[in-house]
Amino acid sequence: MKRELSEQEIIRRESLQKLKELGIDPYPSAIFEVNTTSKKIIANYKDNEELEVVIAGRLMSRRIMGKASFAEIQDSEGRVQVYINRDEICEEDKTMYNTVFKKLLDIGDIIGIKGVVFTTQVGEISVKAKELTVLTKSLRPLPLPKIDTDGVTHDSFTDPEKRYRQRSVDLVVNPEVKDAFIKRTQLTNSMRSYLNEKGYLEVETPILQPLYGGAAARPFKTHHNALDVELYLRIANELYLKRLVVGGFDGVYEFSKDFRNEGMSRFHNPEFTQMELYVAYKDYIWMMDLVEEMVEKIAIDLHGTTEVKAGENTINFKRPWKRYTMYEAIEHFTGIDISKMDEAKMSQTAKKLGVEVDKSMGRGKLIDEIFGKKCEGELIQPTFIIDYPVEMSPLAKKHREKEGLVERFEAICNGKEICNAFSELNDPIDQRARFEEQLELVKRGDEEAMLLDEDFLRAIEYGMPPTSGMGIGIDRLSMIMTNSSSIQDVLFFPQMKPKKD
RNA sequence: GACCUGGUAGCUCAGCUGGUAGAGCAACGCCCUUUUAAGGCGUGGGUCCUGGGUUCGAGCCCCAGCCAGGUCACCA
């Protein structure tokens, strides 16, 4: 597996060798004690102050003018210019400047600078180097975008394939990419602290499961050698969290990586993150209030306001959000009241609305299709859609008043579902019947129908208190909160096809 | 999965109607002690995504494939 090295890589390896010959370790082990950052230097420097600093980072540009040079160092917070004068970093022996800095260092190398902050004649806050330390030699040339005085970027590294496949490089040369990921972590921190303040317990449940459940999706299959059993990667954590509610935890939540063996798109990655929450003695109406409050708080924590820009739209998470029943939403967007229609009439109506129908579709599926085609994309401001057909929701409790519906809601925002919740079905006899209906679907070839989980049924036969449960898509919410149009922009390492070569 | 677009130097890209493979930056060499995307002068660098085909001749045309992006479908 020998790779042909490019000219520039060969040169860098030769420089590496020469550094070693000069007795300089290109990969030293000792601590390099940094005492500030680029950002702090620029923010805090006052003229005429004798400020000694030690910084470290990547060498990102070099302007050599004989015996003096300017370079830019990029650390975790930004860049600062360094002034390197031959006679300031060298005593008698000028090797450190003439050979090491000018010849053997390359853009991308990680160096440490000890020096004094000053302002150049042109007025740029810089560090005058007194000591230069090689911390890591870089063996590959970085793609190197440059920004000119008009703010125009030249040679920017934008090829999405290369960016996603080589995120390390992307982060080095496009530091603004970091911002979305920092926001994403702030989002989960904000959510976690909200839930903790409410007294709910963060837990962990299995990713490797003998039976998958809790959602309608095709799973990834794997194999445990020692036990010689097939296992599945979880598609949801619902059934395990409910077992914990049976066991006496009244409020549990989990941030979970879930895995679905389905198509990919800018909204779908095979592994994605959800937060699921289950609270005993509550119902779905109560949960709507919680979702509103929590997401509003997240928007404020991240942006200092409830208004968030997402593409063309400005989304306002301020409470209260609009609430429509599914029938109301359909009537609102199509002008047709389908609530009293039978299956035949509804099928006709769907066809008229341009929805593709086939004979296998029951009433519930038709409603869902009409909603998906005619309403979901129109809902830009956060909106709750309430009361779903029972056929689509085998784990939700039947509606306390409305025949054929369940107590379920989704939160829709920017035309996409971000949250799904219901009053959890805790009647074990009904739950068994619903699983059996799902099994009928499996027999008819539905690859996404749920499996009957006997162990879960046994748990709720002991009695699960009335419970409200909710799942919220962290990737989708992150996309909205960071104004990203693709899920790949909020995942460090989105799934890509392996390169064949 | 379908359709559209793209894949050329380390990076960003040009390459006409099929006729010797190009530019800027980066690299390398020399000069230069406060510069600002790019100081000056000079030099080297290519599996034109892969495999077939047409042709005297293919980066360009044709076929098949790989990878990516977009749109749609699928995915509550």
Side-chain angles (χ1 to χ4, degrees):
Chain A
M1 282 294 282
K2 206 149 176 214
R3 192 173 56 87
E4 197 115 331
L5 295 179
S6 70
E7 181 197 29
Q8 295 192 39
E9 289 175 296
I10 293 167
I11 291 164
R12 283 172 182 239
R13 278 168 163 76
E14 286 166 3
S15 300
L16 174 82
Q17 192 51 41
K18 287 180 195 153
L19 282 173
K20 286 182 182 167
E21 284 162 13
L22 288 171
I24 294 168
D25 182 354
Y27 303 103
S29 343
I31 290 174
F32 186 82
E33 200 75 63
V34 166
N35 71 4
T36 185
T37 64
S38 58
K39 200 173 163 187
K40 283 182 200 145
I41 288 172
I42 290 162
N44 300 334
Y45 178 67
K46 289 179 200 71
D47 269 343
N48 306 320
E49 188 182 31
E50 184 72 359
L51 185 61
E52 278 249 349
V53 292
V54 184
I55 53 167
R58 225 176 256 282
L59 180 63
M60 295 306 281
S61 75
R62 236 177 352 166
R63 292 180 288 277
I64 298 173
M65 304 156 305
K67 301 186 186 67
S69 301
F70 287 92
E72 277 179 296
I73 300 291
Q74 174 170 300
D75 63 16
S76 65
E77 295 186 351
R79 287 189 189 187
V80 66
Q81 177 170 269
V82 175
Y83 173 72
I84 298 178
N85 183 309
R86 188 189 70 186
D87 301 326
E88 300 238 17
I89 65 164
C90 301
E91 311 218 334
E92 301 301 292
D93 177 5
K94 308 298 185 191
T95 309
M96 186 46 106
Y97 184 80
N98 284 342
T99 309
V100 176
F101 175 72
K102 276 170 70 176
K103 305 275 181 196
L104 303 182
L105 285 187
D106 289 290
I107 285 170
D109 289 352
I110 298 169
I111 58 174
I113 295 288
K114 194 171 174 185
V116 181
V117 185
F118 76 112
T119 306
T120 63
Q121 289 180 1
V122 193
E124 181 162 347
I125 296 171
S126 307
V127 177
K128 187 181 292 182
K130 294 198 165 151
E131 220 177 291
L132 184 159
T133 312
V134 178
L135 295 173
T136 296
K137 180 75 197 153
S138 162
L139 295 181
R140 285 178 187 257
L142 284 170
L144 202 66
K146 281 173 208 152
I147 299 162
D148 66 21
T149 38
D150 300 327
V152 181
T153 305
H154 301 261
D155 297 343
S156 53
F157 180 65
T158 52
D159 180 343
E161 172 172 8
K162 285 179 183 145
R163 287 188 46 222
Y164 300 145
R165 284 190 196 277
Q166 298 191 53
R167 186 66 90 177
S168 308
V169 174
D170 185 31
L171 290 165
V172 170
V173 304
N174 298 322
E176 71 283 357
V177 170
K178 280 179 168 174
D179 298 346
F181 291 98
I182 291 167
K183 277 240 154 53
R184 182 183 169 124
T185 297
Q186 287 170 343
L187 184 160
T188 50
N189 286 347
S190 170
M191 190 178 283
R192 186 172 271 122
S193 70
Y194 174 87
L195 296 166
N196 288 343
E197 272 164 34
K198 297 265 175 189
Y200 307 140
L201 185 72
E202 181 167 12
V203 297
E204 291 185 273
T205 65
I207 291 173
L208 289 175
Q209 306 181 347
L211 269 185
Y212 59 94
R218 285 152 69 185
F220 286 90
K221 217 185 255 184
T222 186
H223 184 262
H224 187 286
N225 291 342
L227 294 176
D228 191 24
V229 289
E230 299 251 284
L231 291 171
Y232 300 94
L233 271 60
R234 73 177 161 205
I235 58 172
N237 32 7
E238 173 149 1
L239 303 185
Y240 281 93
L241 291 173
K242 285 183 187 171
R243 283 171 171 94
L244 297 181
V245 177
V246 171
F249 289 106
D250 284 349
V252 286
Y253 71 93
E254 179 172 16
F255 282 91
S256 61
K257 266 287 176 76
D258 291 340
F259 305 84
R260 297 188 184 175
N261 210 339
E262 291 164 351
M264 288 158 61
S265 75
R266 70 194 181 93
F267 292 104
H268 300 84
N269 195 64
E271 56 182 288
F272 64 101
T273 306
Q274 275 202 95
M275 194 287 295
E276 286 193 36
L277 166 71
Y278 292 83
V279 184
Y281 311 114
K282 306 296 187 191
D283 67 2
Y284 76 135
I285 303 291
W286 176 88
M287 187 63 86
M288 267 186 266
D289 295 337
L290 180 142
V291 169
E292 269 180 355
E293 185 178 67
M294 182 172 77
V295 176
E296 183 193 61
K297 169 194 179 307
I298 288 168
I300 293 169
D301 283 354
L302 266 57
H303 294 100
T305 162
T306 58
E307 291 189 5
V308 176
K309 266 219 154 54
E312 307 280 283
N313 306 310
T314 300
I315 293 169
N316 193 344
F317 288 101
K318 188 163 179 54
R319 286 182 284 167
W321 301 353
K322 269 183 259 164
R323 299 182 185 193
Y324 290 126
T325 67
M326 204 166 213
Y327 289 136
E328 283 167 359
I330 290 170
E331 191 174 352
H332 185 262
F333 286 104
T334 66
I336 302 170
D337 177 9
I338 60 166
S339 63
K340 309 266 167 10
M341 292 181 182
D342 62 13
E343 188 177 315
K345 186 83 200 296
M346 195 177 289
S347 181
Q348 269 180 12
T349 308
K351 217 178 286 178
K352 237 184 286 172
L353 290 169
V355 175
E356 276 182 46
V357 286
D358 67 64
K359 288 174 209 82
S360 75
M361 290 182 178
R363 203 169 175 276
K365 181 74 181 161
L366 286 166
I367 296 171
D368 192 62
E369 287 289 321
I370 295 172
F371 177 79
K373 272 278 175 330
K374 291 285 154 191
C375 308
E376 192 173 12
E378 306 295 320
L379 294 166
I380 302 304
Q381 295 306 320
T383 307
F384 290 115
I385 301 298
I386 311 166
D387 298 343
Y388 282 65
V390 64
E391 296 92 324
M392 322 292 307
S393 315
L395 301 168
K397 198 178 245 183
K398 280 181 181 146
H399 198 282
R400 60 193 82 176
E401 288 160 0
K402 300 175 186 165
E403 187 71 26
L405 300 180
V406 289
E407 297 198 350
R408 169 177 170 182
F409 71 84
E410 288 189 1
I412 314 280
C413 180
N414 210 23
K416 279 279 166 191
E417 172 200 343
I418 55 168
C419 163
N420 183 16
F422 23 93
S423 300
E424 301 295 336
L425 178 53
N426 66 338
D427 173 347
I429 293 168
D430 189 5
Q431 183 66 80
R432 183 176 292 276
R434 303 270 200 100
F435 274 141
E436 279 163 0
E437 285 164 23
Q438 290 288 309
L439 288 181
E440 286 304 308
L441 294 177
V442 173
K443 278 185 201 151
R444 277 170 29 194
D446 185 340
E447 290 182 278
E448 289 167 0
M450 290 186 196
L451 304 179
L452 188 144
D453 189 332
E454 199 61 62
D455 184 77
F456 170 69
L457 281 172
R458 184 178 58 208
I460 66 168
E461 281 169 9
Y462 284 106
M464 179 173 81
T467 296
S468 183
M470 185 265 288
I472 186 162
I474 298 299
D475 312 285
R476 296 270 177 90
L477 190 60
S478 298
M479 285 171 66
I480 293 170
M481 292 293 178
T482 60
N483 197 6
S484 301
S485 59
S486 168
I487 197 168
Q488 298 173 115
D489 293 327
V490 296
L491 297 170
F492 275 125
F493 304 103
Q495 194 58 239
M496 303 287 275
K497 275 201 200 183
K499 273 273 200 191
K500 276 195 191 176
D501 21 37

